[in-house]
Amino acid sequence: MTDVVPRPDADPQRRRTPVMADVARLAGVSHQTVSRVVNGQDNLRPATRERVEEAIRQLGYRPNTAARALVTRRSATIGVIGSKSGYWGPSTVHRTIQAAGREAGYFVSSVNLQSLTRSELVDAIDHLRDQGVEGIVLISATDEAVEVARAQEHLGTPVVVVEGDPDRTHWTVGVDQVAGAELGTQHLIDLGHTDIVHLAGPQEWTEARARLHGWRTAMYAAGLRPSEHVTGDWSAASGFEAGQRIAAREDVTAVFCANDQMALGLLRALSESGRTVPDGRRGVSVVGFDDIPEAPYLVPPLTTVRQDFQAVGRRAIEILRAALSGDPAPGRLINPELVVRASSAAPVERKH
């Protein structure tokens, strides 16, 4: 029978931090066995592992990460680079990566940049490498971010790019943007719309180009000729400005927006221009992209393409772990989902 070792802080006069030897005594195993459990080694019987893990919980033992790094030559630290934009998608991915990283046994060091310029990205990566991180997740899909990530590949620190270009970066993860744009556009086509304009995102972003491509693909597949797209910068303000121009085009009966924020501005512009959404003689159907929390509460509730940002964050950690271990990486693309609400309907026949 294993002797019960009192918690090190049970006696107020001898309060101290529990060490690995305490865990070994409580679990009835050797110091080396505890070390193997702490360092994630697999060559242990399940019953032994469970006994050690229970002793760790009882004692409140926390491994000495500095000492462990000396033994394993691994820092158990990963870096995350994001922006201070505050947009729902990137911020949700960032929070999920932090949580999933901690669950996987990593300390997560985050850097939030004011702008995603090449110099700031390089400085952020150098800062994280100086901290000894094992790998980095970069939450930015601009062309400059992709090029910076590519330049790091020969330096030994894997960089996973969220929504990067799989043709240009070795490690990337994201939602299938082309498929999502095809879903949103095809929904409008199936309703009977033929004059569908695309409110695109900034074309230096890989996501924006992929959604533009998906819109065009769906239009051509339906035998429709896509009109000239209008470009915004992801913000509601740019959606409002573009919406004022779109509202003046009487031939347009539907708009596929590259994100929900621009769709929000578009809805305001259409309303102020006397264009109803989605019904009426001058009605316009609107489909967004992302499914932000506010989407069901807009007027009207917004039809949109949902991205599972939490799944993206978890998959980013899975891919980073595969890169570090040399194991095959899981699939890079996550399927989107069309969420139909009241902002899209069949076009009303117009008399000219």
Side-chain angles (χ1 to χ4, degrees):
M1 180 177 177
T2 304
D3 294 334
V4 177
V5 178
R7 288 179 60 94
D9 60 352
D11 182 356
Q13 300 301 317
R14 51 189 302 273
R15 191 183 303 273
R16 66 178 176 83
T17 301
V19 295
M20 194 175 289
D22 298 322
V23 177
R25 282 194 297 271
L26 180 56
V29 298
S30 67
H31 181 281
Q32 290 80 3
T33 298
V34 177
S35 178
R36 286 199 290 270
V37 171
V38 168
N39 291 319
Q41 297 181 23
D42 297 326
N43 55 340
L44 289 167
R45 288 183 299 175
T48 301
R49 180 181 297 279
E50 290 176 8
R51 198 159 70 247
V52 172
E53 290 174 346
E54 178 59 29
I56 288 173
R57 283 192 291 270
Q58 286 187 33
L59 293 172
Y61 169 72
R62 291 183 177 275
N64 185 325
T65 55
R68 183 169 63 180
L70 289 173
V71 174
T72 64
R73 301 194 177 203
R74 295 176 57 186
S75 66
T77 302
I78 60 174
V80 184
I81 301 174
S83 70
K84 296 181 179 179
S85 67
Y87 285 122
W88 167 251
S91 61
T92 302
V93 171
H94 200 149
R95 289 194 302 270
T96 305
I97 288 172
Q98 289 176 312
R102 288 193 297 268
E103 290 172 6
Y106 292 99
F107 174 78
V108 182
S109 179
S110 294
V111 178
N112 289 304
L113 302 179
Q114 193 67 45
S115 61
L116 297 171
T117 62
R118 181 183 294 269
S119 60
E120 287 206 28
L121 288 167
V122 170
D123 287 346
I125 290 177
D126 288 344
H127 169 74
L128 291 170
R129 286 172 58 86
D130 288 343
Q131 292 183 11
V133 298
E134 296 183 35
I136 297 170
V137 181
L138 176 54
I139 308 174
S140 170
T142 63
D143 288 332
E144 286 201 325
V146 170
E147 291 305 314
V148 169
R150 285 185 64 183
Q152 299 296 315
E153 291 179 0
H154 70 284
L155 298 178
T157 304
V159 179
V160 177
V161 183
V162 174
E163 302 295 355
D165 185 343
D167 294 328
R168 296 161 61 201
T169 50
H170 188 62
W171 304 105
T172 187
V173 59
V175 171
D176 190 333
Q177 303 294 329
V178 174
E182 289 175 343
L183 277 176
T185 306
Q186 189 62 49
H187 167 67
L188 293 168
I189 292 170
D190 291 343
L191 288 172
H193 293 278
T194 57
D195 297 308
I196 305 169
V197 72
H198 178 43
L199 175 46
Q203 293 302 291
E204 66 271 20
W205 289 73
T206 58
E207 296 163 282
R209 290 199 300 271
R211 293 171 198 175
L212 175 62
H213 177 67
W215 165 71
R216 284 176 174 159
T217 299
M219 293 289 284
Y220 283 127
L224 301 173
R225 183 174 180 177
S227 60
E228 186 66 27
H229 65 277
V230 182
T231 303
D233 64 6
W234 298 129
S235 69
S238 72
F240 177 78
E241 182 180 344
Q244 291 177 314
R245 300 197 302 273
I246 293 171
R249 294 168 54 177
E250 293 293 336
D251 58 319
V252 174
T253 65
V255 183
F256 168 57
C257 298
N259 77 338
D260 289 348
Q261 293 287 345
M262 291 193 296
L264 189 157
L266 170 71
L267 290 174
R268 174 69 180 271
L270 292 173
S271 176
E272 291 190 357
S273 300
R275 303 292 296 270
T276 54
V277 178
D279 301 310
R281 188 177 60 83
R282 302 179 69 227
V284 180
S285 286
V286 176
V287 173
F289 205 108
D290 283 342
D291 196 26
I292 61 175
E294 297 82 6
Y297 305 101
L298 299 178
V299 181
L302 183 65
T303 296
T304 187
V305 177
R306 176 180 293 161
Q307 300 196 78
D308 190 339
F309 294 115
Q310 293 183 341
V312 171
R314 291 190 295 269
R315 187 70 57 83
I317 293 298
E318 292 172 7
I319 290 176
L320 185 58
R321 294 183 73 182
L324 293 170
S325 65
D327 294 333
R332 297 181 295 186
L333 291 180
I334 295 168
N335 291 328
E337 176 189 357
L338 179 69
V339 181
V340 179
R341 298 192 178 100
S343 67
S344 55
V348 174
E349 185 177 351
R350 299 179 181 182
K351 296 179 181 180
H352 298 284

